[in-house]
Amino acid sequence: MTGNRRGLAAFAIVLAALGVLPVAAIVGRALAPGAGDTLSHLAQTVLPRYVGNTVALVALVGAGVAIGGTAAAWLVARHRFPGSRLFAWALLLPLAMPSYVMAYAYTDFLQYAGPVQGALRAFFGWSHEDYWFPDVRSLPGAAAMFVFTLYPYVFLLARTAFAERPPALVEAARTLGLDRRQAFWRVDLPLARPAIAGGIALALMETLADYGTVAYFAVDTFTTAVYRAWFSLGDRTAAAQLACALLVFVIAAIALERASRGAARTYDSARGKSPTYQQPSPLTGLRALAATVVCAIPLALGFVIPVLLLVRLLAGEADIAVTSRYLVWSFNSLRVATLAAVLAVVLAVLLAYVNRLAPGRVVRAGSRLLNLGYAVPGTVLAVGVLLPLGAIDQALVTWWRAQTGASPGLLLTGTVVALIYAYLVRYFAVAWNGIEPGFARITPAMDAAAQSLGAGMWRTLRRVHGPLLARTCAAALLLVFVDVMKELPATLVLRPFNFDTLATQTYLLAKDERLAEAALPSLTMVLVGLVPMLLLARIGFKPREKRLIGTAPT
């Protein structure tokens, strides 16, 4: 290995070490001497409740997204009915709606003092004791919010799997006497099972990572427990141990996805030929109406109704306007999201280029370790970042004070440095899974041609690969930008003093029941989230599908 290749491998190792440092810090703190007493106390008091609520939430969300996403995907991919072309891209729109924003909107609409129950009491003349109404601020209510916002993960991957089913399989099923319903259960569903399982795993990881929804609904899960242990009780050991327990749930979700695949494999018998897929069959009459209703329900519940509720909240308060505080929140969100997105794309390009120039076990292992950050919940990541950076900060303060007699303040955890670090660990995989396939599509002959013309390693990257990767990098940057804009748990924990973003202020205002004031930053995040959804719909969803498939555990 030449000196350059050793340097490239060292670069990959350093990046991988920085990526796994937060998780290593959590595990190290959880296994520290004397930590067993804290774990024993947790097991005897609050741990059973956290486990029970987390398991129930995961079960409800998993079942909900599996049923809703698979049904809509099969209808859109295999049939034509009124609105089917619209639903093919519109059913992705709930991805632009943060689940905690939806929770605030539905709470105001369905609570006792809300318009729905108020209208029921006025129409029937009921009092509080005369009727029963489901409480939206409950564990089933939280599960419903997650299902409404996360079913697109299953929908998108399953839709692709259903659409790419070869016509020969349909003909074989018909020759065996299977009708449409039997073919779905015996042929379509088994072939799409890996994609469906991957979508469910992604939805469950997002559920386990959420803090805003479960905290607002007062559902005790591991995410809220980690936050409470660190900030309310000041017990870092308990927070680390609860974070490790949450990581176990994430690993279990990944293992469940793998187990669901089993030894099943699908192969393309037409490899090397132009792909031919069966044309969707038209539906008429009641079947067409039923298909339209089935697809319209998740779109209405997951996007249309929440947006209308937010607009209603905003319109109901005439004195709410774009203030200087709102502009500050927007600017803070814009700058951290832009900085994190640019750094994530730059690092992903560099690592992908290293992987191209010096392929080997070390570089491949480094890229895989960095991609694991996407599976780490934001609250866990925040604790993992605070532990090592806090120790470094204290050492720097001690050294600086000894040299100058003054305190420099917290240089890492007291600034946006810790926040950007957490974003990069969390969302590096989003950039990587868009950029790495882009590099793979560039033939090595172009590198050889550039070198024959005297271009060095970095000039080849700038003059050859750069223009070819421009669109891919732009899409990856946009995806990371939007993800950072909506991120709440890590931002809430790691933000510097007096530094608020649209996400944190939405949560804090809603927590104080100032839902009308929370509507403006909520709508802003939704509108920003719509940009990549509409862009990806225009180009046929390809980058988003690659991102989802790439980040799904395999």
Side-chain angles (χ1 to χ4, degrees):
M1 179 181 286
T2 65
N4 284 338
R5 289 177 178 266
R6 290 194 184 96
L8 295 175
F11 172 75
I13 293 172
V14 170
L15 279 185
L18 291 174
V20 301
L21 178 61
V23 175
I26 292 173
V27 175
R29 187 57 180 261
L31 299 177
D37 297 337
T38 303
L39 183 60
S40 176
H41 175 71
L42 292 173
Q44 295 174 4
T45 54
V46 296
L47 198 57
R49 183 170 74 253
Y50 296 151
V51 172
N53 287 343
T54 303
V55 169
L57 189 64
V58 164
L60 290 173
V61 173
V65 298
I67 295 172
T70 303
W74 182 69
L75 289 171
V76 169
R78 305 304 316 139
H79 304 90
R80 285 289 173 262
F81 52 91
S84 59
R85 295 185 182 275
L86 171 67
F87 291 130
W89 64 267
L91 281 167
L92 295 175
L93 294 180
L95 285 175
M97 178 73 65
S99 58
Y100 54 89
V101 169
M102 182 181 295
Y104 310 149
Y106 274 117
T107 296
D108 177 76
F109 191 58
L110 299 175
Q111 65 184 343
Y112 179 78
V116 173
Q117 294 197 52
L120 289 175
R121 291 193 300 271
F123 184 81
F124 293 103
W126 289 340
S127 63
H128 177 67
E129 295 80 11
D130 295 333
Y131 72 101
W132 173 85
F133 196 86
D135 184 10
V136 66
R137 299 183 69 168
S138 60
L139 193 149
M145 300 301 107
F146 291 126
V147 171
F148 297 159
T149 56
L150 299 178
Y151 78 83
Y153 285 117
V154 177
F155 167 77
L156 183 53
L157 296 180
R159 183 184 67 85
T160 303
F162 287 137
E164 294 180 351
R165 185 189 64 178
L169 295 178
V170 182
E171 298 172 1
R174 288 178 176 175
T175 59
L176 294 174
L178 300 182
D179 58 25
R180 182 180 301 173
R181 180 169 58 86
Q182 293 172 327
F184 170 78
W185 290 107
R186 304 277 299 273
V187 179
D188 284 337
L189 194 59
L191 290 176
R193 189 177 66 182
I196 295 170
I200 293 173
L202 286 168
L204 294 185
M205 285 191 290
E206 293 290 342
T207 301
L208 292 170
D210 178 83
Y211 174 77
T213 305
V214 291
Y216 185 65
F217 280 6
V219 177
D220 289 329
T221 63
F222 277 108
T223 308
T224 58
V226 171
Y227 189 89
R228 188 179 300 124
W230 185 282
F231 289 96
S232 299
L233 303 178
D235 192 338
R236 297 189 175 188
T237 300
Q241 291 178 336
L242 290 169
C244 285
L246 180 54
L247 282 176
V248 170
F249 271 90
V250 173
I251 294 171
I254 296 174
L256 181 64
E257 185 270 340
R258 282 187 170 183
S260 67
R261 297 188 184 191
R265 297 290 184 272
T266 57
Y267 300 94
D268 185 4
S269 60
R271 188 174 182 179
K273 304 176 182 179
S274 300
T276 56
Y277 305 124
Q278 183 186 8
Q279 293 299 318
S281 59
L283 297 178
T284 57
L286 292 178
R287 288 185 175 181
L289 177 61
T292 302
V293 170
V294 168
C295 292
I297 288 176
L299 176 61
L301 294 175
F303 185 78
V304 177
I305 293 177
V307 169
L308 294 177
L309 294 178
L310 290 174
V311 172
R312 168 186 164 273
L313 281 170
L314 190 60
E317 297 289 339
D319 57 341
I320 296 179
V322 177
T323 63
S324 59
R325 292 194 306 158
Y326 166 78
L327 295 177
V328 170
W329 305 335
S330 301
F331 176 70
N332 289 341
S333 299
L334 178 64
R335 61 173 173 154
V336 296
T338 301
L339 182 57
V342 170
L343 288 176
V345 169
V346 169
L347 292 176
V349 168
L350 291 177
L351 186 61
Y353 194 44
V354 170
N355 199 35
R356 183 182 182 89
L357 294 178
R361 294 181 179 179
V362 174
V363 176
R364 285 197 301 270
S367 61
R368 289 174 182 174
L369 287 174
L370 281 168
N371 276 273
L372 293 178
Y374 187 77
V376 181
T379 307
V380 175
L381 193 59
V383 173
V385 167
L386 282 175
L387 287 172
L389 294 192
I392 296 174
D393 260 340
Q394 291 299 324
L396 290 175
V397 168
T398 301
W399 177 82
W400 188 267
R401 186 175 292 151
Q403 299 297 319
T404 65
S407 176
L410 300 176
L411 301 177
L412 300 178
T413 57
T415 64
V416 296
V417 172
L419 193 58
I420 297 299
Y421 179 31
Y423 290 153
L424 291 177
V425 175
R426 179 88 165 86
Y427 297 115
F428 174 85
V430 177
W432 169 265
N433 285 290
I435 291 170
E436 193 274 335
F439 263 109
R441 290 192 294 269
I442 301 176
T443 174
M446 301 191 72
D447 298 57
Q451 292 174 6
S452 67
L453 295 174
M457 180 174 62
W458 300 114
R459 190 178 179 187
T460 301
L461 176 63
R462 185 177 70 254
R463 300 289 298 274
V464 177
H465 298 119
L468 295 174
L469 293 172
R471 291 172 62 89
T472 300
C473 290
L477 188 144
L478 186 60
L479 289 171
V480 177
F481 177 87
V482 173
D483 281 338
V484 172
M485 283 280 289
K486 298 187 298 182
E487 204 283 334
L488 176 63
T491 309
L492 200 61
V493 174
L494 296 172
R495 75 191 195 281
F497 178 74
N498 203 27
F499 183 93
D500 290 305
T501 64
L502 292 171
T504 60
Q505 273 302 307
T506 297
Y507 168 74
L508 294 174
L509 289 171
K511 182 181 177 182
D512 294 337
E513 297 300 329
R514 298 158 64 184
L515 296 178
E517 296 178 57
L520 181 58
S522 297
L523 278 173
T524 303
M525 287 189 293
V526 173
L527 291 175
V528 171
L530 280 178
V531 175
M533 293 299 100
L534 297 177
L535 177 63
L536 296 174
R538 181 179 179 182
I539 61 179
F541 315 119
K542 294 299 183 183
R544 186 70 177 184
E545 290 176 9
K546 290 180 181 297
R547 171 203 171 184
L548 293 176
I549 295 171
T551 53
T554 56

